[in-house]
Structures are given as structure tokens and as C-alpha cells.
């Protein structure tokens, strides 16, 4: 019965999708973020759902969508170069079989990020994509927030919807994404039109933001705490009373400490001294290994090149109490440890060229959103008041990601590439609008002489 219901839903989805092809685009965003096939017992696991919906999105756009005002940006070209470079390094990878496994989902993330801006021709579509991204992530975040309130969470023990430790279901990744989307949530709550701002929308938005802030507590991911700090600093830029805001933020942080789980505060305390924590010590050692490796292999080792690393590092631990406390050093050897940093992930796997292209894509987004803000801050049109806040939200989300990604390997996380695609879509849409507004016909049709 469940399978028959699914088939019926699929047929209705296909019929509606080819009338409104952007529905396929939103469906792929949902599949890529939530990965519903992992929630299924049989049917969805038996078919390549992601690839099928991706094909439908492209086919629907090719057949039924209007393409007269399509624009291609510089960053889409850079993503194409990165795609080609990753394809090459996969063929020459140190571990070809393992590299192929990662390439099977990386290529879709890159291609979809290049394709998605072509479909974002209207403000409604841009908003719909942002709303879909927030709602998809919220299905995981709300679950994690509730579990944190009930049990307090725990490092490596809190399950988010399913028992999985990859994609957005991994603690550090969901912590980064949860804080990254807070600016976008605020924009939707104040400028959205699909769900017009009222007390219900804003109540849900603030509750969702609270759940986002709880995710780093529940997962006990130190990356999440760093991202919260970055968000607090970024919000200082445009608040009217900065000292009052900073004082209230500090007071709230201090007031929240007694309510936090002891395991959370203990783990956060290790941020200041990496040698006291084996996980942090391993990361530093892997980063040092990666730098030495890429000096000998400037083109990188392809996906999953970290599998060959072997690192040694020292940790320190305090034993005893009071005057009898002794600091003991211990040398640990480990191998095959992941990069735990997007920057070193790109450097080790794609070499200097791959890292350079990746930095252009991401830092280019920060620059372009800043340019848009400066252009539209000078304009005073009622129908453009939403532009600057959206550009700022996307810029802040990008900066939070860039800081958080320094401590977690999410260089090819599909969710972030959708954020980049949304930036590009906004940029090209506004450029087209400015061009149309600047166009003035040489002869006004109303006064032109009639030809016999």
C-alpha cells in the first residue's frame, strides 16, 4: 500500500513538474539536503533517486522553461574549471577506487551549482530556493533541538532523524549549516512573500533560530560555537546601538552557561589548548602532513588522498589534584585520518590549483554580495528594499561557512553550493533588471511617425 501511494505521488509530481519545471529544481534541492532515500526501508533505497530527480530538473528546464534571459556568471565558469580539474585528479588519484566513490556525488553538487542559477530568473524563484533550503535543513535542526532540550545531547551520540554520520547528519556539519542559515531565516521572516511576514511566521522563525543555536550544544561540536561567535560579530555591522547589543549578547552568554550540560562546557574548554584534546591534536598533525605532502605533490593526490597519511603527535593530560597534579605527555601514532578542514581537504586532494579555484568561488561570493549592497544601498525604490538584506544574509552565511569550514571537511557540501548558486542567481537577476531599467528606445512608439 505504501509503495502504491508513492507511485501515485510520483505520477502527480511528474505531471505537475513538466508544467512548472522549477518544481523539479526544488525537488532536487530537497533530495540533496534531506536525502529521503536514507529514511526509506526499501523503495527509495532501490533506485538512484538523486540522479533521477537531477535529470528531471535539467530536462524540465530544457523542454519547458523560458531561457530568453539566461545569463552566465564568471563564478559558474570557475566552477566548470574546478569540475574539469576534479575529474582529472580523480583519474590520476592515489586511491582510484575510493576517489571514484567521492566523485560520484561531488560532480552532481558542482554541476547542479552551475545549472541552478540558470533557473533563478525571478525574485519568487530566488525566494523559493532559499525557503526550500531553510525548511529542508529545519527538518533536521528541529529534531536536534528537541533532543537537546530533552536529553542535553552528547558528542557523537545524538542521532538526527537517522543513525548516520555523513552529510547534514554529521554533528560538525549540521552545526555549521545551522548557524550559517540564521541570516537567511531572518530575511525570510521580514521580507518573504511566499509566507508573508506575520506573527505566526516570525514566531516560527525565532523558534527555528533558537533550535539552530541549540544544535552546537546538542552535538557538542566546537565548530558550532566558533560559528556562533562569528555570527555575533557580523551582526554588529548594521545594528544601531552596537555597545548595547554587545553588552546584551555577552550577558545572555554568561546567563546561559549554568543551563548548559557540563559535558558541553568541558569540551568547549579544550578550544584554547589543542594539546589537551586528542581530536584537536590529530587535526593539527594531519594539517602539517598535508602541507608536506602537497609540496611534493603540488597537483594533489585526488579524492580521499588522506588515507595514506601517518601522523605522530603529543598530547598532555593532568593527573592528580591540588599540589599533587602532574602533567603527563604521551606520543600517539595514527594513520588514515581525515583532513577536518576544507582548506586542507582542497589542498591535499586537488593541489594548489584546486584550492585556488575553490577560494575564487567562495571569496568571490563575499565580494559580489558586498558590491550589490553598495549599489542598492544608494537606491531608494520600494520594490528593491529586499535586495540589500538578502545580499547581506547570503554574505554573512558565506563568511560563517568559510570560518566553520576551517575545522570541518565540507569543501564540496551540496548545501553550501546551493547557497553559492543562490548568490549567483541573485547577482545575474539584478544585473538583468538594471540593464532593462537603463534601456531607453531611441524613438518613443507613442510619438513615432507612421509609415505609409
Amino acid at each position: 500500500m505504501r509503495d502504491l501511494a508513492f507511485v501515485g505521488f510520483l505520477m502527480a509530481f511528474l505531471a505537475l513538474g513538466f508544467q512548472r519545471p522549477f518544481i523539479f529544481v526544488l525537488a532536487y534541492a530537497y533530495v540533496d539536503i534531506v536525502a529521503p532515500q536514507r529514511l526509506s526501508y526499501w523503495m527509495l533505497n532501490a533506485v538512484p533517486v538523486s540522479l533521477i530527480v537531477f535529470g528531471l530538473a535539467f530536462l524540465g528546464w530544457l523542454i519547458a522553461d523560458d531561457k530568453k534571459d539566461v545569463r552566465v556568471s564568471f563564478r559558474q565558469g570557475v566552477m566548470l574549471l574546478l569540475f574539469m580539474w576534479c575529474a582529472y585528479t580523480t583519474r590520476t588519484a592515489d586511491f582510484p577506487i575510493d576517489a571514484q566513490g567521492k566523485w560520484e556525488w561531488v560532480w552532481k553538487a558542482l554541476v547542479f551549482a552551475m545549472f541552478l542559477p540558470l533557473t533563478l530568473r525571478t525574485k519568487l524563484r530566488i525566494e523559493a530556493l532559499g525557503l526550500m533550503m531553510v525548511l529542508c535543513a529545519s527538518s533536521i535542526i528541529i529534531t536536534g533541538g528537541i533532543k537537546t532540550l530533552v536529553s542535553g545531547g552528547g558528542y557523537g551520540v545524538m542521532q538526527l532523524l537517522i543513525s548516520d554520520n555523513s552529510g547534514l547528519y554529521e554533528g560538525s556539519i549540521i552545526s555549521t549549516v545551522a548557524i550559517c542559515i540564521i541570516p537567511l531565516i531572518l530575511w525570510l521572516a521580514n521580507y518573504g512573500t511566499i509566507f508573508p511576514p506575520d506573527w505566526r511566521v516570525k514566531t516560527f522563525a525565532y523558534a527555528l533560530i533558537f533550535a539552530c543555536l541549540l544544535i552546537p550544544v546538542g552535538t557538542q561540536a566546537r565548530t558550532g560555537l566558533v560559528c556562533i561567535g562569528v555570527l555575533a560579530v557580523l551582526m554588529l555591522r548594521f545594528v544601531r546601538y552596537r555597545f548595547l547589543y554587545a553588552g546584551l549578547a555577552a550577558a545572555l552568554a554568561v546567563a546561559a552557561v549554568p543551563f548548559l550540560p557540563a559535558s558541553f562546557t568541558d569540551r568547549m574548554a579544550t578550544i584554547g589548548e589543542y594539546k589537551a584534546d586528542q581530536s584537536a591534536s590529530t587535526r593539527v598533525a594531519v594539517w602539517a602532513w598535508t602541507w608536506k605532502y602537497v609540496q611534493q605533490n603540488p597537483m594533489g593526490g585526488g579524492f580521499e588522498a588522506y588515507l595514506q597519511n601517518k601522523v605522530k603527535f603529543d598530547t598532555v593530560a593532568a593527573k592528580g589534584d591540588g599540589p599533587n597534579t602532574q602533567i603527563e605527555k604521551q606520543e600517539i601514532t595514527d594513520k588514515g585520518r581525515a583532513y577536518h578542514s576544507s582548506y586542507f581537504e582542497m589542498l591535499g586532494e586537488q593541489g594548489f590549483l584546486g584550492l585556488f579555484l575553490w577560494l575564487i568561488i567562495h571569496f568571490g561570493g563575499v565580494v559580489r554580495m558586498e558590491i550589490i549592497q553598495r549599489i542598492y544601498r544608494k537606491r531608494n525604490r520600494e520594490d528593491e528594499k529586499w535586495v540589500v538584506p538578502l545580499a547581506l544574509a547570503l554574505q554573512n552565511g558565506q563568511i560563517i561557512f568559510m570560518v566553520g569550514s576551517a575545522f570541518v571537511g565540507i569543501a564540496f557540501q551540496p548545501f553550501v553550493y546551493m547557497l553559492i548558486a543562490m548568490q549567483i542567481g541573485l547577482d545575474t537577476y539584478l544585473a538583468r533588471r538594471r540593464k532593462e531599467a537603463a534601456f531607453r528606445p531611441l524613438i518613443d512608439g507613442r510619438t513615432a511617425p507612421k509609415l505609409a
Side-chain angles (χ1 to χ4, degrees):
M1 185 63 68
R2 181 189 299 175
D3 293 342
L4 290 176
F6 173 75
V7 172
F9 168 79
L10 183 60
M11 293 177 64
F13 168 71
L14 291 173
L16 184 61
F18 279 106
Q19 293 181 4
R20 297 287 186 272
F22 193 67
I23 290 177
F24 287 145
V25 175
L26 296 179
Y28 182 77
Y30 167 74
V31 169
D32 221 20
I33 295 171
V34 180
Q37 59 271 26
R38 300 184 191 179
L39 306 175
S40 172
Y41 291 107
W42 177 75
M43 174 163 280
L44 291 182
N45 276 317
V47 294
V49 176
S50 178
L51 185 60
I52 291 174
V53 179
F54 176 84
L56 289 173
F58 181 77
L59 188 63
W61 173 80
L62 196 63
I63 295 175
D65 208 12
D66 188 359
K67 293 173 282 293
K68 66 179 181 180
D69 50 6
V70 167
R71 298 173 66 95
V72 178
S73 75
F74 171 74
R75 282 198 291 161
Q76 285 170 286
V78 178
M79 278 193 279
L80 178 60
L81 292 177
L82 180 59
F83 170 84
M84 292 166 37
W85 179 249
C86 289
Y88 171 75
T89 59
T90 300
R91 292 177 61 89
T92 60
D94 293 344
F95 298 90
I97 297 177
D98 298 281
Q100 184 63 36
K102 185 172 179 178
W103 169 250
E104 288 177 359
W105 62 267
V106 166
W107 78 262
K108 285 185 289 184
L110 289 173
V111 171
F112 189 68
M114 289 184 278
F115 161 70
L116 186 52
L118 305 180
T119 69
L120 301 178
R121 299 184 297 103
T122 65
K123 174 184 178 293
L124 180 61
R125 289 189 174 191
I126 295 171
E127 180 186 341
L129 175 62
L131 180 63
M132 176 62 73
M133 292 169 61
V134 167
L135 292 179
C136 288
S138 70
S139 65
I140 304 172
I141 292 168
I142 292 173
T143 302
I146 293 173
K147 289 184 176 182
T148 300
L149 288 175
V150 173
S151 65
Y155 179 65
V157 299
M158 189 172 75
Q159 294 183 4
L160 301 168
L161 285 182
I162 57 175
S163 179
D164 200 330
N165 197 37
S166 61
L168 292 191
Y169 296 101
E170 195 275 330
S172 295
I173 297 177
I174 190 60
S175 295
T176 302
V177 169
I179 307 305
C180 178
I181 64 172
I182 288 179
L184 189 56
I185 296 172
L186 289 172
W187 182 84
L188 289 168
N190 290 292
Y191 297 94
T193 57
I194 298 175
F195 293 103
D198 58 17
W199 68 269
R200 293 167 297 180
V201 170
K202 292 190 176 183
T203 299
F204 175 79
Y206 295 140
L208 180 56
I209 290 172
F210 180 63
C212 290
L213 294 173
L214 285 176
I215 289 297
V217 178
T219 60
Q220 297 188 4
R222 291 167 295 195
T223 305
L225 183 63
V226 173
C227 290
I228 291 175
V230 174
L231 174 64
V233 172
L234 290 173
M235 292 184 70
L236 276 171
R237 183 179 179 185
F238 291 108
V239 294
R240 180 173 297 180
Y241 305 106
R242 296 182 181 179
F243 289 105
L244 178 60
Y245 165 81
L248 288 174
L252 286 173
V254 172
V257 171
F259 299 95
L260 297 174
S263 57
F264 172 79
T265 54
D266 291 343
R267 181 166 173 77
M268 296 306 109
T270 62
I271 292 178
E273 180 52 64
Y274 74 91
K275 288 188 177 181
D277 180 75
Q278 181 172 334
S279 175
S281 298
T282 305
R283 296 185 187 195
V284 174
V286 170
W287 298 345
W289 175 89
T290 304
W291 176 246
K292 293 179 181 178
Y293 171 80
V294 80
Q295 288 179 315
Q296 299 176 357
N297 303 271
M299 298 173 61
F303 293 128
E304 314 293 17
Y306 72 87
L307 292 173
Q308 61 193 297
N309 67 39
K310 185 176 182 181
V311 297
K312 293 182 179 181
F313 54 92
D314 296 327
T315 60
V316 296
K319 291 189 176 182
D321 297 321
N324 297 322
T325 301
Q326 295 181 349
I327 303 298
E328 293 188 357
K329 291 185 178 181
Q330 183 180 7
E331 184 180 82
I332 297 177
T333 301
D334 208 343
K335 59 181 180 180
R337 294 301 298 263
Y339 300 101
H340 288 291
S341 169
S342 297
Y343 299 90
F344 285 97
E345 176 187 359
M346 289 302 302
L347 188 61
E349 293 184 345
Q350 308 305 324
F352 291 104
L353 177 60
L355 176 62
F356 177 69
L357 295 174
W358 186 80
L359 290 175
I360 290 178
I361 293 169
H362 288 280
F363 283 106
V366 176
V367 173
R368 287 304 307 169
M369 293 304 100
E370 182 66 26
I371 292 173
I372 289 174
Q373 290 176 62
R374 296 190 178 189
I375 292 174
Y376 285 85
R377 204 172 286 132
K378 300 175 183 177
R379 301 159 73 109
N380 195 28
R381 293 180 51 175
E382 187 67 26
D383 61 339
E384 294 176 345
K385 287 186 175 180
W386 60 275
V387 174
V388 172
L390 179 56
L392 178 63
L394 295 176
Q395 183 188 54
N396 287 347
Q398 184 89 56
I399 293 172
I400 292 169
F401 163 78
M402 294 303 290
V403 175
S405 65
F407 308 101
V408 58
I410 49 176
F412 294 101
Q413 172 55 235
F415 185 92
V416 177
Y417 278 91
M418 290 181 200
L419 184 72
I420 294 171
M422 191 174 173
Q423 290 178 344
I424 296 173
L426 174 66
D427 198 358
T428 54
Y429 167 73
L430 294 175
R432 186 175 68 250
R433 288 281 301 270
R434 292 194 300 272
K435 183 177 180 180
E436 293 171 353
F439 174 75
R440 294 290 184 273
L442 296 177
I443 301 178
D444 191 336
R446 292 172 297 182
T447 59
K450 295 182 180 180
L451 300 177

